[in-house]
Amino acid sequence: MNLSAESVLFSWALEPVPALGLAVTAIIYFLGWRRLHAQVPGRFPVERLLSFFGGLAVIYVAIASPLDAFAGWLLIVHMVQHLLLTMVAPPLLLLGWPMLPMLTGLPRGAVREGLAPFLNAPALHRLGRFLVHPMFTLPLFMLSNVIWHTPALYDLALRSPTWHQTEHLSFLLTAILFWWPVVQPWPSRPAFPRWAMIPYLLIADLQNTALSGFLSFSGGVFYQTYALAPRISSLSAAEDQAGAGAVMWVPGSMAFLIPAGIIAMSCLSSKRRRYAEAVAPRTSAVLPRQPFDLLRVPVLGWFLVRCRPLVQASLFFVAMLVVADGLLGPQVSPINLAGVAPWIHWSAIVGLGLLIVGNTFCYACPFTFVRDIARKILPASHTWPRALRSKWFAVALVAGFFFAYEILDLWDRPWWTAWIVVFYFVAALVVDGFFKNASYCKYVCPIGQFQFVLSLVSPMEVRVRQPDICATCRTRDCIRGNESQRGCELLLYQPRKSGNMDCTFCMDCVKACPHDNIGLLHASPARDVIDDPRRSSIGSFARRPDLAALILVVVFGAFANMASMVSPVSSAQAAVVRMIGPHLAMLVWLVVFVLAVLILPQLITALCGWLSARAAGSRNEAALAQGFVPGLIPLGFAMWLCHTSFHIFSGILSPFPILLRMAGDLGLPVSPPEWNLAVPIFGGLPAIQILLLNAGLLFSLWIFWNKSQRLSMPPQPALQNGHPSSSGSTGVPPVNETGNRKPETGKPGLRADASGVPPATSRAPLTLPIFLPWAILATALYALGLWLIFQPFDMPLTMP
């Protein structure tokens, strides 16, 4: 036997107290599990027993194996030990549903006479609910990890066996509490909705990523114990620390992301569950819980409904400052308001608004503010041309804007930026001055189209509160308007509206509704994308190639926009300019842009649609692809947020010296601006960007999985008398865009869905083959995003 093998073999620490404790726990659990398995084998199968025993075995390996013996010499080994105690053992223990087996395994007299009065105490129940509440377990888990990884405590644990055991016990107990809301062992009840565990896990992953990144890239040796310890391997202390950071980063992040992905695919109701609940008779008269309504919040709701002109006027004032400084100020972007406000702070505020609420920019739009004032003299009597009533014109404008931003360096041209703002005001006045029904917002405005696409995954939606009230309404003021208030100019009839596409959050329908039955309600993110109903004024996404093209431009434009910021791409651009000159180089980059943002996305998604259609047995590949394309929005949104976060963290303070400079230009007595305030460096930014990208990938995969499940099922039968029907579940008769009732046609029965899949006559297709092409596409974009995040960035819009 060689020396290394002998060292490992004789490094097992046969500590009697931990071994005896784990053995007694295993015996009690086994006795209880055996009784419960005999009574309810479906609830306590053999897998529960194996999972719990596996958790106990992992704990023993972590504290008694050579991992513990070598942890004082190698940080990598110590990190593996910690991952076993925090990421592996706790979920395995909780998957064994240990509460009832442990109680059942104890002597019945001891439980009845000794534990029962204690366990039935209300104070203990309240304490238990508090200890496993996500708002307590998440910060406790993160705090435990951060505190024990500080140099003082980490070195103390390495020097003192008592403190080392305390550290391990702290890791194990806080990890059990952390994983409790995720596993939710029966018969405990969740404190939050199941989907809330996704951000719960992602936030924990953010802390894990930040800590592991610090260990990997800090350069120096963080823990002096390892710096002074004898080297028992070829790794230096710095290399050992970097390797430990990699162990903590990759396997640790996977321990968070895999459960988050599983929850994302299964937490919300599938089509099978919703269909079963709709068909099955109700056994309870409990009313469904009403979603959160932002307009019901005191003061804030009144402000949102009544004070929109004030918000628009404020943004109009800011726009005028941008135009004035862009035209008259110094033509250096980092010190000009037109160089930083639109490209840094506006995009950050808009992204945050989309993430928290929805289409907040259109709500505060200064362009429609001026348009509404001018409408007193403008006719607005014409109808928008039928040939242009689609998003194709908007697709060209959005793509052209992205190209001009990157190739013409609009961010570095304050004068051009100012004239673009002026052009937006003029375009809104001209288009909506001659054409009715907010044609500028619906068909022209590139900013609006960008907002419409990303708001499809926002958490709030303008919609009716109680559909039954709309069923009895005869005036339909929400779309027609009345004497005191106009209705929806974008022709979105509220009872038939679904999602945020084309909704500007103008609140006109809210003010026009005579029943106060429209609110800004919480909606499950991307519910509208997954269900894809026939919406008022829009129809189904699967029937709208123009919407699919717009979404692809926004999503792939996010990656193209981010790529233009990294040094390898910037160097390639400069090399092309040197070789062929600026004019030919612009033509080359135009071709590259068209391929990357317009042509290749169409070809790739068409291929994915064809593969999924083959798997689903559908002959309508185009409709299927168009129905799946919106699933890429979360990933594209995450990429836009990564881009925005870089700008905002590198230039968040830039307006302050610029405003001082503007005040000085006007002759006001102010101190000279300090331009170095414009470049705060935030070291944890890559961790935040990775968190955003992880969330975007999981969200997109969840959408694709749900849509694939729908295609792998027979369509629902159209029933009547309280059961599902082809006309929907709102009870509102079909109406046209002006609110007039439309004649109902067609017969109830099975029909193909919007993706073109015919009703199944034999066995349903499998979900995985339908899902796989889109999962591969999303994963490839995710990998590209990770590569972009880890590239060195240029620093535009900031002072050197």
Side-chain angles (χ1 to χ4, degrees):
M1 182 180 295
N2 60 39
L3 181 61
S4 299
E6 185 177 354
S7 301
V8 171
L9 180 62
F10 288 100
S11 295
W12 283 83
L14 300 178
E15 295 287 342
V17 175
L20 181 61
L22 293 174
V24 171
T25 303
I27 292 172
I28 295 174
Y29 180 91
F30 175 74
L31 294 176
W33 172 86
R34 186 175 60 178
R35 295 175 186 172
L36 293 170
H37 178 68
Q39 298 171 3
V40 281
R43 183 157 287 177
F44 287 93
V46 177
E47 289 81 1
R48 301 281 177 209
L49 177 68
L50 296 177
S51 177
F52 189 81
F53 278 11
L56 295 179
V58 169
I59 293 176
Y60 187 75
V61 168
I63 64 176
S65 74
L67 289 176
D68 189 64
F70 290 103
W73 286 294
L74 289 173
L75 183 56
I76 292 178
V77 175
H78 204 179
M79 194 60 66
V80 172
Q81 187 182 31
H82 289 173
L83 288 180
L84 292 177
L85 291 173
T86 58
M87 306 294 188
V88 182
L92 289 175
L93 293 175
L94 295 175
L95 286 171
W97 289 2
M99 289 184 292
L100 283 184
M102 294 298 293
L103 289 175
T104 308
L106 293 171
R108 295 183 180 179
V111 174
R112 183 174 57 252
E113 302 297 335
L115 291 179
F118 179 69
L119 295 176
N120 290 328
L124 182 65
H125 290 179
R126 290 193 294 270
L127 176 62
R129 287 193 295 269
F130 171 77
L131 289 177
V132 297
H133 195 283
M135 297 300 292
F136 174 75
T137 59
L138 178 60
L140 180 68
F141 177 75
M142 296 172 63
L143 190 63
S144 173
N145 281 339
V146 171
I147 288 178
W148 280 112
H149 280 90
T150 56
L153 288 181
Y154 206 93
D155 286 330
L156 176 63
L158 290 172
R159 292 193 305 268
S160 168
T162 302
W163 279 107
H164 201 187
Q165 294 172 2
T166 303
E167 177 194 43
H168 288 169
L169 184 62
S170 173
F171 279 146
L172 181 62
L173 293 180
T174 57
I176 289 175
L177 293 178
F178 169 80
W179 286 103
W180 191 288
V182 178
V183 178
Q184 205 62 58
W186 186 81
S188 62
R189 296 182 178 181
F192 283 170
R194 190 62 177 154
W195 62 263
M197 292 301 97
I198 300 173
Y200 177 85
L201 289 165
L202 294 180
I203 292 173
D205 181 49
L206 173 62
Q207 172 263 319
N208 179 79
T209 301
L211 191 55
S212 58
F214 183 80
L215 291 176
S216 298
F217 304 116
S218 60
V221 179
F222 204 46
Y223 304 115
Q224 290 303 309
T225 301
Y226 292 110
L228 301 176
R231 308 316 303 165
I232 62 174
S233 71
S234 60
L235 296 175
S236 66
E239 292 171 339
D240 179 35
Q241 178 175 295
V247 170
M248 187 180 187
W249 197 332
V250 180
S253 291
M254 294 304 296
F256 294 116
L257 294 178
I258 290 176
I262 294 173
I263 294 171
M265 292 183 181
S266 63
C267 64
L268 298 182
S269 298
S270 67
K271 194 169 187 178
R272 293 182 178 91
R273 279 203 300 268
R274 288 207 304 273
Y275 177 64
E277 291 174 358
V279 174
R282 293 283 183 180
T283 59
S284 173
V286 178
L287 295 176
R289 184 179 179 181
Q290 294 296 320
F292 172 72
D293 187 349
L294 197 61
L295 299 187
R296 294 296 196 194
V297 178
V299 181
L300 177 61
W302 174 86
F303 180 86
L304 291 174
V305 175
R306 300 298 172 187
C307 297
R308 186 195 182 207
L310 177 62
V311 178
Q312 289 178 294
S314 301
L315 204 58
F316 172 76
F317 174 73
V318 174
M320 291 300 98
L321 288 179
V322 169
V323 171
D325 202 31
L327 296 178
L328 305 175
Q331 296 301 301
V332 179
S333 287
I335 64 174
N336 192 296
L337 196 62
V340 297
W343 309 118
I344 296 180
H345 301 85
W346 170 82
S347 58
I349 294 172
V350 163
L352 190 62
L354 287 166
L355 192 63
I356 297 176
V357 182
N359 192 353
T360 51
F361 173 77
C362 289
Y363 170 84
C365 179
F367 312 122
T368 55
F369 172 71
V370 175
R371 177 207 67 185
D372 290 341
I373 295 176
R375 271 186 171 167
K376 297 179 180 180
I377 59 174
L378 296 175
S381 57
H382 299 281
T383 303
W384 188 251
R386 181 176 297 273
L388 297 179
R389 292 181 200 170
S390 67
K391 299 294 184 182
W392 290 117
F393 185 51
V395 168
L397 291 177
V398 173
F401 179 82
F402 288 163
F403 174 77
Y405 174 83
E406 297 300 341
I407 305 304
L408 301 181
D409 294 339
L410 291 181
W411 51 267
D412 198 28
R413 301 174 185 269
W415 191 81
W416 283 31
T417 300
W419 277 111
I420 289 173
V421 175
V422 172
F423 172 78
Y424 270 104
F425 280 108
V426 174
L429 285 172
V430 172
V431 174
D432 282 353
F434 290 94
F435 299 99
K436 56 186 177 181
N437 296 330
S439 299
Y440 174 76
C441 300
K442 191 177 184 73
Y443 301 114
V444 179
C445 180
I447 298 177
Q449 310 309 315
F450 183 85
Q451 303 295 312
F452 293 154
V453 168
L454 297 187
S455 65
L456 290 176
V457 294
S458 294
M460 307 296 290
E461 174 186 345
V462 176
R463 72 172 191 267
V464 297
R465 296 184 174 115
Q466 301 182 42
D468 292 342
I469 294 178
C470 294
T472 61
C473 178
R474 295 294 178 264
T475 58
R476 300 186 175 90
D477 293 3
C478 61
I479 190 170
R480 293 174 174 172
N482 49 45
E483 295 180 356
S484 59
Q485 177 61 46
R486 69 188 180 194
C488 179
E489 291 189 293
L490 289 100
L491 304 177
L492 302 174
Y493 180 51
Q494 275 297 327
R496 293 292 173 187
K497 175 183 175 291
S498 179
N500 287 323
M501 178 56 67
D502 284 0
C503 181
T504 61
F505 278 35
C506 64
M507 305 299 167
D508 288 342
C509 58
V510 176
K511 292 183 282 188
C513 178
H515 310 289
D516 189 24
N517 192 38
I518 302 176
L520 187 56
L521 306 180
H522 167 73
S524 298
R527 172 189 58 83
D528 177 65
V529 172
I530 295 171
D531 294 339
D532 197 13
R534 290 189 175 93
R535 307 157 185 79
S536 171
S537 182
I538 298 169
S540 169
F541 290 149
R543 305 295 184 185
R544 293 289 301 271
D546 55 328
L547 280 178
L550 177 63
I551 292 169
L552 289 176
V553 167
V554 172
V555 170
F556 282 79
F559 289 87
N561 198 258
M562 187 76 166
S564 67
M565 296 171 54
V566 301
S567 294
V569 176
S570 300
S571 301
Q573 288 178 325
V576 171
V577 170
R578 288 194 300 269
M579 285 190 299
I580 62 177
H583 299 294
L584 287 178
M586 185 177 296
L587 181 61
V588 169
W589 289 115
L590 173 62
V591 173
V592 171
F593 178 85
V594 170
L595 286 173
V597 178
L598 296 178
I599 297 178
L600 286 180
Q602 299 286 342
L603 296 177
I604 294 172
T605 53
L607 175 61
C608 292
W610 180 79
L611 293 173
S612 294
R614 290 289 298 271
S618 172
R619 293 180 297 273
N620 197 342
E621 298 88 351
L624 188 144
Q626 289 155 195
F628 268 79
V629 160
L632 293 171
I633 294 175
L635 196 53
F637 192 6
M639 196 74 255
W640 281 114
L641 291 176
C642 290
H643 183 172
T644 301
S645 64
F646 173 81
H647 281 312
I648 196 65
F649 281 117
S650 63
I652 190 172
L653 300 179
S654 54
F656 297 104
I658 291 176
L659 291 175
L660 285 176
R661 193 267 306 158
M662 294 176 65
D665 292 345
L666 295 175
L668 299 177
V670 294
S671 59
E674 297 182 13
W675 297 110
N676 60 335
L677 290 177
V679 197
I681 302 301
F682 180 65
L685 179 58
I688 294 179
Q689 292 174 323
I690 292 172
L691 174 65
L692 292 171
L693 211 57
N694 289 342
L697 174 65
L698 293 176
F699 203 171
S700 289
L701 292 178
W702 174 72
I703 293 175
F704 291 146
W705 182 259
N706 277 267
K707 294 185 77 67
S708 300
Q709 280 187 320
R710 280 154 173 74
L711 292 179
S712 63
M713 295 169 51
Q716 298 181 16
L719 305 176
Q720 297 178 353
N721 300 325
H723 296 281
S725 65
S726 60
S727 61
S729 59
T730 62
V732 181
V735 295
N736 58 22
E737 292 182 345
T738 60
N740 297 316
R741 183 177 299 190
K742 295 169 63 178
E744 299 188 39
T745 60
K747 298 180 180 181
L750 294 175
R751 60 179 175 83
D753 63 8
S755 63
V757 180
T761 56
S762 56
R763 62 185 181 87
L766 297 177
T767 300
L768 186 59
I770 304 173
F771 165 77
L772 198 56
W774 300 98
I776 293 174
L777 173 58
T779 305
L781 288 175
Y782 170 78
L784 174 61
L786 283 180
W787 180 81
L788 292 173
I789 287 173
F790 284 105
Q791 297 306 305
F793 280 80
D794 290 335
M795 298 289 288
L797 306 179
T798 54
M799 290 296 291

